[in-house]
Amino acid sequence: MKVNIFDVAKRSGLSVVTVSRVLNQSSTVRQKNKEKVLKAMEELNYQPNASARSLARGKTGIVGLSLSNLGDSFFDGVVKETNERLREQGYLLALSISRSSGDAFRRSLFQEDRVDGVILLSPTEEDDYLLELKNNKIPHVLIDNSKNHPSASSVIVDNFKGGYEAAKHLIELGHTEIAHISGPDPFLSSRERERGFLAALGEAGLQPYRVERGTFELSSGYEIATRWIDSDTLPSALFAADDYIALGVVDACLNRGIRIPERLSIVGFDDQKLASEFRPLLTTVRQPADKIGAAAVELLLETMADPAKRKKTVRIGPTLIVRESTARKPT
């Protein structure tokens, strides 16, 4: 039978609370009692786990992460980094994958005493989520939130900078007919990427060739590009609000014999896995999933340790990754 914290307490002749304090390196334990616990652990070959450490903290040792889907390599990267950082701190990660605020598992996950904290990754129903967390007094952190919430800490990418750098790259290649397919308006990231795009064009004395609202899907880029091709209104360059939109445009162009980047230069956003596998390799703005996940965990641990601590926003800079889908405009 596996040895547990209660076995150690019995062998040492001390309480479970004292054993727990020793496991968490508390300075309040007498040296004599500490030695008794350590001796009992050695005799029983006891290896403390996350559950044992959680008992000392009076916590569950579980952190919840809520997101809408895992069919996205960027989200996947954030989840993996979050899980690794939490594991290092002795926490387990529980995922809730749902587009609905009424999802039964997510609602049970957010109940008091089920989790020690929650990370919301790109929530689509922020207000409902935050109200539920606040009512249950659960520490929480937002990633890629759509609104500014002074009462919650958050981690966001500098999407304005990303949109600005994408447009600037195309301008420096000599393009003047530059279009933008934006993401859904409810997303702050979509609005900020568009704002950065327009700022770069404005600095260069250019007007956008056109701006159209899309969705973060391949089909959205494909449909819009096909319409442009059919109406002979294809620009010379395009900044797409995410890689899926960009790759949908690439697909539509290749199906019509339009060469990229010779006829159309394209920049995406996210640096999804497909961006470096789909030919031509996609120039894109990379969101650093590892830094985002690590920052979210750090913020959440701070909030869990001191719920009254002033909330803050961590802004992380993206990086333009130049590949094969952009080129200088032919003269």
Side-chain angles (χ1 to χ4, degrees), residues 221-243:
Y222 187 93
E223 184 275 325
I224 292 173
T226 299
R227 183 157 31 87
W228 289 353
I229 294 168
D230 289 342
S231 61
D232 195 26
T233 56
L234 195 68
S236 71
L238 166 70
F239 166 47
D242 88 328
D243 289 344

Side-chain angles (χ1 to χ4, degrees), residues 111-314:
Q111 290 175 0
E112 191 174 7
D113 298 330
R114 293 291 182 92
V115 293
D116 296 336
V118 168
I119 295 173
L120 300 177
L121 175 52
S122 197
T124 56
E125 296 173 310
E126 266 173 41
D127 293 335
D128 291 341
Y129 286 3
L130 292 178
L131 180 61
E132 193 168 357
L133 290 167
K134 184 178 180 180
N135 288 341
N136 286 294
K137 296 181 174 58
I138 299 175
H140 52 278
V141 168
L142 307 176
I143 298 177
D144 188 30
N145 42 297
S146 295
K147 298 179 182 178
N148 293 316
H149 294 279
S151 63
S153 290
S154 60
V155 180
I156 60 175
V157 167
D158 191 340
N159 288 290
F160 176 89
K161 179 183 178 183
Y164 180 91
E165 293 295 333
K168 186 177 179 181
H169 171 63
L170 294 170
I171 293 167
E172 290 175 345
L173 290 174
H175 295 281
T176 56
E177 295 180 348
I178 308 174
H180 176 51
I181 302 177
S182 66
D185 187 64
F187 289 95
L188 178 62
S189 56
S190 297
R191 301 193 300 272
E192 286 295 286
R193 290 168 196 177
E194 181 178 336
R195 194 168 69 87
F197 166 80
L198 294 174
L201 264 63
E203 285 184 6
L206 298 173
Q207 292 293 324
Y209 183 78
R210 64 195 311 159
V211 176
E212 292 208 23
R213 183 77 55 201
T215 61
F216 295 137
E217 297 174 338
L218 284 162
S219 58
S220 178
Y222 187 93
E223 184 275 325
I224 292 173
T226 299
R227 183 157 31 87
W228 289 353
I229 294 168
D230 289 342
S231 61
D232 195 26
T233 56
L234 195 68
S236 71
L238 166 70
F239 166 47
D242 88 328
D243 289 344
Y244 287 117
I245 295 173
L247 292 173
V249 172
V250 171
D251 192 27
C253 288
L254 295 180
N255 283 345
R256 295 296 188 90
I258 296 172
R259 295 177 62 82
I260 295 173
E262 290 82 357
R263 172 61 182 84
L264 175 66
S265 285
I266 303 177
V267 180
F269 205 108
D270 284 343
D271 197 23
Q272 298 279 351
K273 186 178 180 182
L274 284 175
S276 58
E277 296 179 344
F278 199 102
R279 300 288 176 170
L281 303 182
L282 185 66
T283 294
T284 188
V285 179
R286 174 182 294 163
Q287 297 198 74
D290 54 345
K291 293 182 180 179
I292 293 169
V297 170
E298 183 176 344
L299 278 183
L300 183 62
L301 293 178
E302 289 179 2
T303 303
M304 288 161 54
D306 183 6
K309 188 173 182 178
R310 184 176 180 180
K311 308 310 177 188
K312 61 183 179 181
T313 297
V314 174

